[in-house]
Protein backbone atom coordinates (compact mmCIF):
# COMPACT_ATOMS: atom_id res chain seq x y z
CA UNK A 1 0.00 0.00 0.00
CA UNK A 2 1.42 3.38 -0.99
CA UNK A 3 1.17 5.88 1.86
CA UNK A 4 -0.40 9.23 0.98
CA UNK A 5 2.22 11.62 2.34
CA UNK A 6 4.22 14.60 1.17
CA UNK A 7 7.18 13.67 3.38
CA UNK A 8 8.85 10.63 1.76
CA UNK A 9 11.72 10.73 4.24
CA UNK A 10 9.39 9.44 6.96
CA UNK A 11 9.08 5.63 6.73
CA UNK A 12 5.57 4.15 6.78
CA UNK A 13 4.27 2.82 10.06
CA UNK A 14 4.67 -0.90 10.41
CA UNK A 15 3.08 -3.68 12.35
CA UNK A 16 5.19 -5.96 14.58
CA UNK A 17 5.53 -8.32 11.63
CA UNK A 18 6.97 -5.54 9.48
CA UNK A 19 3.90 -5.16 7.21
CA UNK A 20 2.66 -1.62 6.47
CA UNK A 21 -0.27 -0.50 8.59
CA UNK A 22 -3.27 0.37 6.47
CA UNK A 23 -5.09 3.61 7.14
CA UNK A 24 -8.84 3.71 7.73
CA UNK A 25 -9.22 -0.06 8.23
CA UNK A 26 -12.97 0.33 8.67
CA UNK A 27 -13.23 1.17 4.96
CA UNK A 28 -11.26 -1.80 3.69
CA UNK A 29 -14.33 -3.86 2.79
CA UNK A 30 -16.48 -0.96 1.58
CA UNK A 31 -17.37 -2.21 -1.90
CA UNK A 32 -19.40 -0.67 -4.73
CA UNK A 33 -22.41 -2.72 -3.59
CA UNK A 34 -23.00 -0.03 -0.95
CA UNK A 35 -24.35 2.28 -3.67
CA UNK A 36 -27.47 0.10 -3.67
CA UNK A 37 -28.52 1.91 -0.49
CA UNK A 38 -28.43 5.24 -2.36
CA UNK A 39 -30.48 3.85 -5.23
CA UNK A 40 -32.99 2.26 -2.89
CA UNK A 41 -33.46 5.51 -0.97
CA UNK A 42 -33.75 7.79 -4.01
CA UNK A 43 -36.36 5.58 -5.67
CA UNK A 44 -38.62 5.92 -2.63
CA UNK A 45 -38.80 9.67 -3.31
CA UNK A 46 -39.16 9.41 -7.10
CA UNK A 47 -41.74 6.62 -7.08
CA UNK A 48 -43.80 8.31 -4.38
CA UNK A 49 -43.98 11.53 -6.38
CA UNK A 50 -45.50 9.68 -9.33
CA UNK A 51 -48.33 8.01 -7.43
CA UNK A 52 -51.88 9.07 -8.41
CA UNK A 53 -52.84 9.69 -4.77
CA UNK A 54 -50.87 12.13 -2.64
CA UNK A 55 -52.01 12.19 1.02
CA UNK A 56 -51.27 15.25 3.18
CA UNK A 57 -47.64 15.50 4.19
CA UNK A 58 -46.51 13.18 1.42
CA UNK A 59 -44.48 15.81 -0.39
CA UNK A 60 -42.63 16.81 2.77
CA UNK A 61 -41.79 13.20 3.56
CA UNK A 62 -40.54 12.61 0.01
CA UNK A 63 -38.35 15.71 0.20
CA UNK A 64 -36.76 14.41 3.39
CA UNK A 65 -36.08 11.04 1.73
CA UNK A 66 -34.57 12.78 -1.31
CA UNK A 67 -32.29 14.86 0.96
CA UNK A 68 -31.23 11.66 2.73
CA UNK A 69 -30.37 10.01 -0.59
CA UNK A 70 -28.28 13.03 -1.61
CA UNK A 71 -26.47 12.94 1.73
CA UNK A 72 -25.82 9.20 1.39
CA UNK A 73 -24.44 9.72 -2.10
CA UNK A 74 -22.02 12.38 -0.90
CA UNK A 75 -20.86 10.26 2.03
CA UNK A 76 -20.36 7.14 -0.10
CA UNK A 77 -18.54 8.97 -2.90
CA UNK A 78 -16.13 10.33 -0.29
CA UNK A 79 -15.75 6.99 1.45
CA UNK A 80 -15.14 5.14 -1.81
CA UNK A 81 -12.52 7.71 -2.84
CA UNK A 82 -10.76 7.09 0.47
CA UNK A 83 -11.10 3.36 -0.11
CA UNK A 84 -9.29 3.64 -3.45
CA UNK A 85 -6.63 5.86 -1.87
CA UNK A 86 -5.91 3.72 1.19
CA UNK A 87 -6.95 0.20 0.10
CA UNK A 88 -6.12 0.15 -3.59
CA UNK A 89 -5.27 -3.55 -3.49
CA UNK A 90 -8.74 -4.37 -2.22
CA UNK A 91 -10.36 -2.02 -4.74
CA UNK A 92 -8.54 -3.79 -7.54
CA UNK A 93 -9.54 -7.14 -6.07
CA UNK A 94 -13.17 -6.02 -6.31
CA UNK A 95 -12.73 -5.35 -10.02
CA UNK A 96 -11.24 -8.81 -10.52
CA UNK A 97 -14.01 -10.51 -8.53
CA UNK A 98 -16.86 -11.75 -10.72
CA UNK A 99 -19.31 -11.42 -7.82
CA UNK A 100 -18.32 -7.82 -6.95
CA UNK A 101 -17.36 -6.13 -10.24
CA UNK A 102 -20.97 -5.97 -11.55
CA UNK A 103 -21.83 -3.67 -8.64
CA UNK A 104 -19.92 -0.88 -10.37
CA UNK A 105 -23.17 -0.45 -12.26
CA UNK A 106 -24.67 0.65 -8.95
CA UNK A 107 -22.38 3.69 -8.90
CA UNK A 108 -23.90 4.90 -12.17
CA UNK A 109 -27.44 4.16 -11.03
CA UNK A 110 -26.90 5.93 -7.70
CA UNK A 111 -25.78 9.10 -9.51
CA UNK A 112 -28.73 8.90 -11.89
CA UNK A 113 -31.29 8.08 -9.20
CA UNK A 114 -30.31 11.03 -7.00
CA UNK A 115 -30.21 13.34 -10.01
CA UNK A 116 -33.69 12.30 -11.10
CA UNK A 117 -35.06 12.61 -7.57
CA UNK A 118 -33.55 16.10 -7.35
CA UNK A 119 -35.50 17.22 -10.40
CA UNK A 120 -38.73 15.43 -9.47
CA UNK A 121 -38.81 16.11 -5.72
CA UNK A 122 -35.96 18.42 -4.75
CA UNK A 123 -36.95 21.22 -7.12
CA UNK A 124 -39.67 22.30 -4.69
CA UNK A 125 -36.97 22.97 -2.12
CA UNK A 126 -33.95 24.24 -4.06
CA UNK A 127 -35.76 25.65 -7.09
CA UNK A 128 -36.17 24.34 -10.63
CA UNK A 129 -33.06 26.03 -12.01
CA UNK A 130 -30.75 24.58 -9.36
CA UNK A 131 -32.44 21.17 -9.62
CA UNK A 132 -31.91 21.09 -13.39
CA UNK A 133 -28.25 22.01 -12.94
CA UNK A 134 -27.71 19.27 -10.35
CA UNK A 135 -29.56 16.70 -12.41
CA UNK A 136 -27.64 17.63 -15.56
CA UNK A 137 -24.32 17.05 -13.80
CA UNK A 138 -25.39 13.79 -12.15
CA UNK A 139 -27.13 12.53 -15.30
CA UNK A 140 -24.03 13.15 -17.40
CA UNK A 141 -21.71 11.53 -14.87
CA UNK A 142 -24.07 8.61 -14.32
CA UNK A 143 -24.63 7.98 -18.02
CA UNK A 144 -20.92 8.02 -18.85
CA UNK A 145 -20.18 5.75 -15.88
CA UNK A 146 -23.04 3.45 -16.80
CA UNK A 147 -21.97 3.00 -20.42
CA UNK A 148 -18.38 2.39 -19.31
CA UNK A 149 -19.57 -0.23 -16.80
CA UNK A 150 -21.80 -1.87 -19.42
CA UNK A 151 -18.71 -2.39 -21.58
CA UNK A 152 -15.92 -2.84 -19.04
CA UNK A 153 -17.56 -5.34 -16.67
CA UNK A 154 -18.61 -7.82 -19.40
CA UNK A 155 -15.12 -7.39 -20.88
CA UNK A 156 -13.58 -8.35 -17.54
CA UNK A 157 -15.98 -11.26 -17.23
CA UNK A 158 -14.88 -12.54 -20.64
CA UNK A 159 -11.14 -11.94 -20.30
CA UNK A 160 -10.41 -12.22 -16.56
CA UNK A 161 -13.29 -13.53 -14.48
CA UNK A 162 -14.65 -16.32 -16.68
CA UNK A 163 -17.20 -17.41 -14.08
CA UNK A 164 -18.80 -20.82 -14.58
CA UNK A 165 -22.45 -20.93 -15.62
CA UNK A 166 -23.20 -22.49 -12.24
CA UNK A 167 -22.39 -19.08 -10.72
CA UNK A 168 -24.78 -17.15 -13.00
CA UNK A 169 -26.63 -14.58 -10.91
CA UNK A 170 -29.05 -11.67 -11.40
CA UNK A 171 -26.16 -9.51 -10.14
CA UNK A 172 -24.76 -9.84 -13.66
CA UNK A 173 -27.58 -7.57 -14.83
CA UNK A 174 -26.38 -4.54 -12.87
CA UNK A 175 -23.89 -3.12 -15.40
CA UNK A 176 -26.22 -3.47 -18.39
CA UNK A 177 -29.25 -2.09 -16.55
CA UNK A 178 -27.50 1.18 -15.70
CA UNK A 179 -28.04 2.69 -19.20
CA UNK A 180 -31.74 1.90 -18.86
CA UNK A 181 -31.88 4.19 -15.83
CA UNK A 182 -30.42 6.92 -18.05
CA UNK A 183 -33.08 6.15 -20.67
CA UNK A 184 -35.81 6.52 -18.04
CA UNK A 185 -34.54 9.69 -16.38
CA UNK A 186 -32.97 11.51 -19.32
CA UNK A 187 -36.35 12.48 -20.83
CA UNK A 188 -37.07 14.53 -17.69
CA UNK A 189 -34.33 16.92 -18.82
CA UNK A 190 -35.62 17.29 -22.39
CA UNK A 191 -38.10 20.15 -21.67
CA UNK A 192 -35.35 22.11 -19.93
CA UNK A 193 -33.05 22.13 -22.97
CA UNK A 194 -33.23 24.65 -25.83
CA UNK A 195 -35.78 23.63 -28.47
CA UNK A 196 -34.48 21.96 -31.60
CA UNK A 197 -31.42 19.79 -32.06
CA UNK A 198 -30.45 19.52 -28.38
CA UNK A 199 -33.83 18.18 -27.31
CA UNK A 200 -34.02 15.74 -30.18
CA UNK A 201 -30.46 14.57 -29.64
CA UNK A 202 -31.04 13.81 -25.96
CA UNK A 203 -34.32 12.07 -26.73
CA UNK A 204 -32.86 9.79 -29.39
CA UNK A 205 -29.75 9.12 -27.30
CA UNK A 206 -32.01 7.95 -24.48
CA UNK A 207 -33.83 5.74 -26.95
CA UNK A 208 -30.46 4.26 -27.99
CA UNK A 209 -29.57 3.67 -24.33
CA UNK A 210 -32.92 1.91 -23.96
CA UNK A 211 -31.98 -0.52 -26.74
CA UNK A 212 -28.44 -0.99 -25.44
CA UNK A 213 -29.70 -1.98 -22.02
CA UNK A 214 -32.72 -3.98 -23.13
CA UNK A 215 -30.80 -6.22 -25.52
CA UNK A 216 -27.98 -6.60 -23.00
CA UNK A 217 -30.44 -7.72 -20.33
CA UNK A 218 -32.09 -10.15 -22.76
CA UNK A 219 -28.69 -11.75 -23.33
CA UNK A 220 -28.12 -12.16 -19.58
CA UNK A 221 -31.56 -13.29 -18.43
CA UNK A 222 -31.53 -16.81 -19.95
CA UNK A 223 -28.21 -17.59 -18.26
CA UNK A 224 -29.38 -17.39 -14.68
CA UNK A 225 -32.98 -18.42 -15.36
CA UNK A 226 -31.55 -21.64 -16.80
CA UNK A 227 -29.22 -21.95 -13.83
CA UNK A 228 -32.16 -21.46 -11.46
CA UNK A 229 -34.30 -24.10 -13.17
CA UNK A 230 -31.54 -26.69 -13.43
CA UNK A 231 -29.45 -25.92 -10.36
CA UNK A 232 -32.13 -25.11 -7.80
CA UNK A 233 -32.53 -22.06 -5.53
CA UNK A 234 -29.54 -19.80 -4.89
CA UNK A 235 -27.68 -19.71 -1.59
CA UNK A 236 -29.80 -18.24 1.21
CA UNK A 237 -27.88 -14.96 1.41
CA UNK A 238 -28.21 -14.46 -2.36
CA UNK A 239 -31.95 -15.10 -2.54
CA UNK A 240 -32.86 -11.37 -2.38
CA UNK A 241 -30.86 -10.82 -5.60
CA UNK A 242 -33.67 -12.57 -7.47
CA UNK A 243 -35.57 -9.28 -7.18
CA UNK A 244 -32.93 -7.63 -9.38
CA UNK A 245 -34.67 -9.14 -12.41
CA UNK A 246 -37.52 -6.70 -11.78
CA UNK A 247 -35.10 -3.82 -12.43
CA UNK A 248 -34.85 -4.02 -16.23
CA UNK A 249 -38.56 -4.87 -16.46
CA UNK A 250 -39.85 -1.93 -14.43
CA UNK A 251 -37.19 0.51 -15.61
CA UNK A 252 -37.76 -0.25 -19.30
CA UNK A 253 -41.51 0.24 -18.85
CA UNK A 254 -40.80 3.55 -17.13
CA UNK A 255 -38.40 4.49 -19.92
CA UNK A 256 -40.86 3.98 -22.79
CA UNK A 257 -43.45 6.03 -20.89
CA UNK A 258 -41.06 8.90 -20.19
CA UNK A 259 -39.77 8.84 -23.77
CA UNK A 260 -43.33 9.09 -25.05
CA UNK A 261 -44.03 12.02 -22.72
CA UNK A 262 -40.90 13.87 -23.80
CA UNK A 263 -41.48 13.20 -27.52
CA UNK A 264 -44.56 15.41 -27.68
CA UNK A 265 -43.63 18.53 -29.64
CA UNK A 266 -39.99 17.44 -29.96
CA UNK A 267 -40.17 14.93 -32.83
CA UNK A 268 -42.56 14.83 -35.81
CA UNK A 269 -46.13 13.76 -35.08
CA UNK A 270 -45.96 10.21 -36.51
CA UNK A 271 -42.87 9.45 -34.42
CA UNK A 272 -44.42 10.94 -31.29
CA UNK A 273 -47.50 8.80 -31.87
CA UNK A 274 -45.32 5.73 -32.30
CA UNK A 275 -43.57 6.47 -29.02
CA UNK A 276 -46.95 6.69 -27.26
CA UNK A 277 -48.18 3.46 -28.82
CA UNK A 278 -45.00 1.62 -27.87
CA UNK A 279 -45.37 2.76 -24.27
CA UNK A 280 -48.57 0.72 -23.95
CA UNK A 281 -47.82 -2.18 -26.30
CA UNK A 282 -44.48 -2.77 -24.60
CA UNK A 283 -45.30 -1.79 -21.04
CA UNK A 284 -48.38 -3.95 -20.41
CA UNK A 285 -46.85 -7.33 -21.42
CA UNK A 286 -43.59 -6.58 -19.61
CA UNK A 287 -45.44 -5.69 -16.43
CA UNK A 288 -47.32 -8.96 -16.81
CA UNK A 289 -44.03 -10.84 -16.77
CA UNK A 290 -42.87 -8.70 -13.85
CA UNK A 291 -45.92 -9.88 -11.89
CA UNK A 292 -44.95 -13.49 -12.66
CA UNK A 293 -41.36 -12.95 -11.55
CA UNK A 294 -42.44 -11.07 -8.43
CA UNK A 295 -44.55 -14.05 -7.41
CA UNK A 296 -41.74 -16.55 -8.08
CA UNK A 297 -39.04 -14.48 -6.38
CA UNK A 298 -41.34 -13.71 -3.45
CA UNK A 299 -42.08 -17.40 -2.93
CA UNK A 300 -38.36 -18.25 -2.97
CA UNK A 301 -37.65 -15.47 -0.46
CA UNK A 302 -40.33 -16.83 1.89
CA UNK A 303 -38.74 -20.27 1.51
CA UNK A 304 -35.33 -18.80 2.35
CA UNK A 305 -36.69 -16.96 5.40
CA UNK A 306 -38.07 -20.23 6.73
CA UNK A 307 -34.63 -21.74 6.32
CA UNK A 308 -32.87 -19.00 8.28
CA UNK A 309 -32.19 -16.18 5.82
CA UNK A 310 -30.65 -13.34 7.85
CA UNK A 311 -30.13 -9.71 7.02
CA UNK A 312 -27.31 -8.66 4.71
CA UNK A 313 -26.69 -5.89 2.20
CA UNK A 314 -28.41 -8.03 -0.44
CA UNK A 315 -31.69 -6.97 1.18
CA UNK A 316 -31.32 -3.63 -0.61
CA UNK A 317 -32.25 -5.66 -3.68
CA UNK A 318 -35.84 -5.47 -2.43
CA UNK A 319 -35.93 -1.67 -2.94
CA UNK A 320 -34.80 -0.18 -6.25
CA UNK A 321 -36.16 -2.95 -8.54
CA UNK A 322 -39.56 -2.78 -6.87
CA UNK A 323 -39.46 1.01 -7.16
CA UNK A 324 -38.94 0.81 -10.91
CA UNK A 325 -42.06 -1.33 -11.17
CA UNK A 326 -43.96 1.31 -9.20
CA UNK A 327 -42.93 4.03 -11.66
CA UNK A 328 -43.70 1.75 -14.61
CA UNK A 329 -47.18 0.93 -13.33
CA UNK A 330 -47.88 4.57 -12.48
CA UNK A 331 -46.90 5.53 -16.02
CA UNK A 332 -49.25 2.94 -17.48
CA UNK A 333 -52.01 4.16 -15.18
CA UNK A 334 -51.67 7.76 -16.33
CA UNK A 335 -51.47 6.72 -20.00
CA UNK A 336 -54.38 4.26 -20.06
CA UNK A 337 -56.58 5.73 -17.31
CA UNK A 338 -57.07 2.27 -15.80
CA UNK A 339 -57.43 2.21 -12.03
CA UNK A 340 -55.95 -1.29 -11.97
CA UNK A 341 -52.50 0.08 -12.70
CA UNK A 342 -52.91 2.85 -10.12
CA UNK A 343 -53.91 0.34 -7.44
CA UNK A 344 -51.03 -1.97 -8.34
CA UNK A 345 -48.56 0.94 -8.20
CA UNK A 346 -49.87 2.02 -4.80
CA UNK A 347 -49.71 -1.50 -3.38
CA UNK A 348 -46.17 -2.03 -4.64
CA UNK A 349 -45.16 1.33 -3.21
CA UNK A 350 -46.31 0.21 0.22
CA UNK A 351 -44.12 -2.89 -0.22
CA UNK A 352 -41.23 -0.67 -1.32
CA UNK A 353 -41.48 1.57 1.76
CA UNK A 354 -41.64 -1.45 4.06
CA UNK A 355 -38.59 -3.02 2.41
CA UNK A 356 -36.71 0.29 2.57
CA UNK A 357 -37.41 0.70 6.28
CA UNK A 358 -36.23 -2.83 7.01
CA UNK A 359 -33.08 -2.35 4.91
CA UNK A 360 -32.32 0.99 6.57
CA UNK A 361 -32.81 -0.41 10.08
CA UNK A 362 -30.72 -3.51 9.41
CA UNK A 363 -27.88 -1.55 7.82
CA UNK A 364 -27.83 1.12 10.53
CA UNK A 365 -27.83 -1.45 13.32
CA UNK A 366 -24.90 -3.33 11.82
CA UNK A 367 -22.98 -0.15 11.15
CA UNK A 368 -23.35 0.88 14.80
CA UNK A 369 -22.26 -2.54 16.07
CA UNK A 370 -19.29 -2.70 13.67
CA UNK A 371 -20.60 -5.70 11.73
CA UNK A 372 -20.52 -3.63 8.53
CA UNK A 373 -18.59 -3.03 6.35
CA UNK A 374 -17.51 -6.67 6.38
CA UNK A 375 -15.72 -9.02 3.99
CA UNK A 376 -18.02 -11.21 1.90
CA UNK A 377 -18.86 -14.55 3.41
Amino acid sequence: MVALTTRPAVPPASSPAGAPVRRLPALRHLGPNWYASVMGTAIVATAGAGLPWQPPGMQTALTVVWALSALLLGVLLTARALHWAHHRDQARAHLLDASMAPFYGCLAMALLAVGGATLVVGSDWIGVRAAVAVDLVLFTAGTVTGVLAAVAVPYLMVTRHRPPLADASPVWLLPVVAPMVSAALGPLLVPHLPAGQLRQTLLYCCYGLFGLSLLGALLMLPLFVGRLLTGGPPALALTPTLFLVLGPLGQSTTAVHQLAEAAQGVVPGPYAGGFATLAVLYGVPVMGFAALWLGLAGALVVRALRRGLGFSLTWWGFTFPVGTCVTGLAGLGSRTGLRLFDLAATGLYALLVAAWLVACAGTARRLVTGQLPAPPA
Side-chain angles (χ1 to χ4, degrees), residues 163-169 172 227:
L165 285 179
D167 291 344
S169 162
W172 292 6
R227 179 252 168 262

Side-chain angles (χ1 to χ4, degrees), residues 226-247:
R227 179 252 168 262
L228 189 65
L229 294 176
T230 59
L236 288 184
L238 296 179
T239 306
T241 64
L242 293 173
F243 272 65
L244 297 181
V245 176
L246 295 175

Side-chain angles (χ1 to χ4, degrees), residues 350-368:
L351 177 63
L352 167 63
V353 172
W356 176 70
L357 291 173
V358 171
C360 284
T363 303
R365 183 165 58 250
R366 282 156 181 78
L367 279 171
V368 171

Side-chain angles (χ1 to χ4, degrees), residues 103 169-171 174 228 233-247 293-294 296-305 308-322 355 358-359:
F103 284 99
S169 162
V171 171
L174 292 173
L228 189 65
L236 288 184
L238 296 179
T239 306
T241 64
L242 293 173
F243 272 65
L244 297 181
V245 176
L246 295 175
W293 191 266
L294 179 63
L296 174 62
L300 288 171
V301 167
V302 171
R303 175 184 180 276
L305 288 171
L309 171 63
F311 179 83
S312 68
L313 287 180
T314 59
W315 283 44
W316 282 100
F318 295 135
T319 56
F320 190 81
V322 173
V358 171

Side-chain angles (χ1 to χ4, degrees), residues 76-226:
L76 273 177
L77 287 174
T78 303
R80 285 287 296 162
L82 292 172
H83 179 268
W84 270 95
H86 295 283
H87 301 283
R88 195 166 300 169
D89 62 322
Q90 185 68 13
R92 289 173 177 169
H94 286 161
L95 279 173
L96 299 179
D97 184 351
S99 63
M100 184 62 73
F103 284 99
Y104 273 90
C106 290
L107 166 59
M109 290 187 279
L111 294 168
L112 293 163
V114 173
T118 301
L119 189 56
V120 173
V121 178
S123 57
D124 291 339
W125 188 26
I126 65 175
V128 174
R129 187 172 182 177
V132 170
V134 170
D135 188 23
L136 189 59
V137 171
L138 293 179
F139 174 79
T140 303
T143 299
V144 172
T145 304
V147 172
L148 288 176
V151 175
V153 174
Y155 174 82
L156 287 173
M157 294 178 72
V158 170
T159 60
R160 299 295 297 271
H161 302 159
R162 297 185 182 179
L165 285 179
D167 291 344
S169 162
V171 171
W172 292 6
L173 281 172
L174 292 173
V176 297
V177 171
M180 187 65 79
V181 182
S182 295
L185 296 176
L188 298 176
L189 285 167
V190 169
H192 300 283
L193 297 180
Q197 287 285 321
L198 281 178
R199 290 186 181 183
Q200 293 180 9
T201 299
L202 178 56
L203 186 69
Y204 283 119
C205 282
C206 288
Y207 210 173
L209 291 168
F210 168 83
L212 180 161
S213 182
L214 177 64
L215 296 177
L218 289 177
L219 290 174
M220 294 288 189
L221 276 169
L223 297 178
F224 49 83
V225 171

